[in-house]
Each structure stands twice: as C-alpha cells, then as structure tokens.
Amino acid sequence: MPTQSSTPPKELFSVLAAGALVLLVVHGLGRFIYTPLLPYLVDDGQFSAANGAAVATWNYLGYLMGAMLAIRWHRIDQIRTLLPVSLAVHVITTLVITQTDNLTFISASRWLNGVANGMVFVHAPALILEWLVLRNRASRSGLVYIGVGLGLLVSSGLVTGSANWLEGGERWWPAALLSIPLAWWGAARLMRLEVPVGELNHTGKPVTTPLLDRASIPLFLSYAGAGLGYILPMTFLPLLAKLELSPGHWLLDGTWVIVALFTIPAPWLWNKLGGKIGDLPALKLNFLIQLLGVLAAVILPEGLGLILCAALVGSTFLGTVLLTQRIGRALHPHQGPRLSAAMVALYGFTQMVGPWLTKQWLDGGGTLVSAFGIGVGALAFGLVFAFFVPRPEIWHAREP
C-alpha cells in the first residue's frame, strides 16, 4: 500500500491541481459564471429577472439529479468512465448555449449542464479523497476546492472583460473555449490515479455501514440548511447590487470579485482550522460567520451590507463543504463516494429550492433583499443541527 513518504510532493500537487481544475471548469465556468452574467443577460433582454431565477432553478435541478446518479454509480470503476463523460457534457452544453436566445433551449442546456456538474462535483473529490486516504494524506483533501474559488475569480474576469463586445448567448463563449483544455487535462490526470475498487468483506461484497443513523441524520439536516442558506447570495448578489446601487458603482461587478477573492484562500483556511481545532468545532464557527454574512445584506446599508455578505459568504461556503464531507467520511469510513454523493444530492436539492422560493417571493411582490432572509433562517437551522452531530471518535467508541 502507498504511504505518505512514498508519495512525491510533485505527484500530490498534480493530483490536487487536476481536481481543482475540473471543479473550476464545472463550478466556475459552468455554474457560478451565471451569477455575474445574469444582470447582463437581463439587460440584453434575453429574459427577465424572474425567468433568470427559473433558469437557475433548472440548473440546480440538474445538479441534484447528477448527484443522485452519483449515488447509484459511485464505484471507482464507474467514476473512471463517468467523470470524463460528464466533463464532455459540460463542454458541449456550454457551446450549445452560445447559439440560442430561446428560453426553453437555455433552460434545457443549463439543466443538462447541471447534471454533469453534480456528477463531477461528487466524483472528482471522492476519487481524490480515496487516493489521499491510502497515502495518509486525507487532511489535504480540502485543497481541491481551491479550484472553485479560482473559478469564481476567472468567471468574474471573463464576464467583465468581455462585457462590452459580447451580447446575449455570445457571452458564454469565453467560458466554453477555456473549458476545453482544462477539462481535457484534468480528466486525463485523474483517470491515471491508482485507487482500488473498494474494501471487500469475507463474502467478497463491499464493506458498508448504514447511510442514515443517529450520527449522520443531524449532519445531513445541517448540510441542508447550508445549501439553502448560501445559494441566495451566490445566485443573486450581483443582481441585488444592481437593484440597490447607482449605475456605474464599482460594486456592480465588485461584489462577485470580492466573493471570488475571499473564496480562493477559504479551502486552505478551513482545512487548516479543521486540523487544528477539529472539523466539527470548525463547522459550527463556519455556520456562524456565514449566517452573519447573509444577515448583513438584509439589515445593513447598501454598500456595506453587500461587501460584508460577499466577504463572509465567500470565505465560508467551501469550508462548509469540505468540513462536512470529512466529518461524514469519518463517521462512516466505508461509505466513501456514496456518502459524498448523498450529501451533494441533498445540498443540490436545497440549492434548487432557493431560487424557486426567490421566484415565488418576487412574483408575489416581495423584494430581493427581503428574500435573503430565507438564507438567514436556513443557516440558523443548519447551525442548530451541527450541535447534534457527534464527534467521530466518540461515535465509534460507543457501546455497540
């Protein structure tokens, strides 16, 4: 079996870099680039703000379905086939959306892109985590999510840099063209990872433990609150800035840049903090900071509230993901990719609910800033249930 000392730093870096790049592609260039694009697409007359929320919901529905498919196809041999296929689907659907202003085709493309995103977001980190566990490097697993933060920064640059010379569906071209080489290299590197199919018991069947029990249920509920809580600012923050600020204000594009800049170091920070004080205490602190960030957008004056929301949510939401994934695997080490897929599916469901609730709220005459109150309540819900999750070492030491 490989050991920590037998894994060269160069190999470790290349694996983490490949994982970060595929997450940059599907999350930064596939999913979250839609957030800074949305105000421009509305101004272009491609659709209204309410229809933009509906398009986001289709994308999140696809993300949920992709994660659910990953629950079904979670074995290492299946991941080796589906990961490159999913990345190819991302590239194709992004190219398709450059060619249409039809709302139905846009929604269908974003849905299918979401399916691919959900599968990659489960499969790539899960495959890398299993590879790291074999080498006693599981504590490095959170670093792969740096790709999401870099993706936010890259997406912001692509959108603002091309804003004056592209229009409508054409605005997707930079993301489509950049995705091709990054997806190809990332997939090629990850497919070469040496990871066994899984641990087998004496009958030759995979070793498993229950997916839902007294330890994992509160963790799932906490994660559901996180998904609903963060998705509102991560979908609508630039649009909120457009509604609240005067034309030409630097925060119209600046909110997304702030999110990106604070997101980039976040995986390293929470990875480090989780190792120092424990993943579970770090998760509780993470929820509290994130809650204060969304609350700031609701109660503080325009510019200050937007800046604090962007900074605090940007610096925490990836920490929620990596800490929760590690806690879940520590509670159920034999579940591996299946547990990760189930968590992402739940996260995806709550993220789909967020834009849908926002659309209902806006259609009913509510304001976008008041809709952010839904996120505050969801994060409070998640924080409460985090206190019911047992420490993994205590859970495993209990009397059978």
Side-chain angles (χ1 to χ4, degrees), residues 19 72 249 308 353 366:
R72 171 64 180 83
H249 197 289
L308 284 175
V353 170

Side-chain angles (χ1 to χ4, degrees), residues 220-387:
F220 274 107
L221 291 173
S222 179
Y223 206 41
L228 180 56
Y230 101 98
I231 199 59
L232 294 175
M234 290 301 291
T235 303
F236 298 110
L237 194 59
L239 185 58
L240 180 62
K242 180 175 181 294
L243 296 174
E244 291 195 339
L245 303 175
S246 58
H249 197 289
W250 71 273
L251 279 175
L252 294 180
D253 291 318
T255 52
W256 197 243
V257 175
I258 294 171
V259 171
L261 290 174
F262 276 84
T263 299
I264 291 170
W268 177 88
L269 171 66
W270 292 104
N271 206 60
K272 190 79 171 178
L273 192 60
K276 187 169 185 178
I277 68 174
D279 285 343
L280 194 52
L283 181 65
K284 296 170 186 175
L285 177 62
N286 178 283
F287 265 106
L288 180 60
I289 295 172
Q290 196 169 175
L291 188 156
L292 293 174
V294 182
L295 184 63
V298 178
I299 66 174
L300 292 180
E302 301 165 350
L304 179 60
L306 293 170
I307 291 171
L308 284 175
C309 182
L312 296 183
V313 173
S315 62
T316 51
F317 80 94
L318 286 179
T320 316
V321 174
L322 72 90
L323 292 169
T324 304
Q325 293 284 350
R326 282 215 303 250
I327 293 167
R329 196 186 187 285
L331 290 169
H332 295 298
H334 297 305
Q335 289 288 2
R338 183 167 174 257
L339 180 67
S340 175
M343 286 187 170
V344 172
L346 178 62
Y347 205 55
F349 173 74
T350 55
Q351 290 172 77
M352 182 188 69
V353 170
W356 180 82
L357 285 175
T358 302
K359 184 177 186 301
Q360 306 313 306
W361 187 261
L362 294 176
D363 287 345
T367 64
L368 187 58
V369 66
S370 62
F372 274 47
I374 298 170
V376 175
L379 287 165
F381 175 90
L383 176 60
V384 168
F385 275 98
F387 282 90

Side-chain angles (χ1 to χ4, degrees), residues 39 50 57 61 93-94 127 190 201 243 268 282 290:
T57 302
L61 173 62
T93 54
T94 308
L127 179 65
L190 294 180
N201 60 23
L243 296 174
W268 177 88
Q290 196 169 175

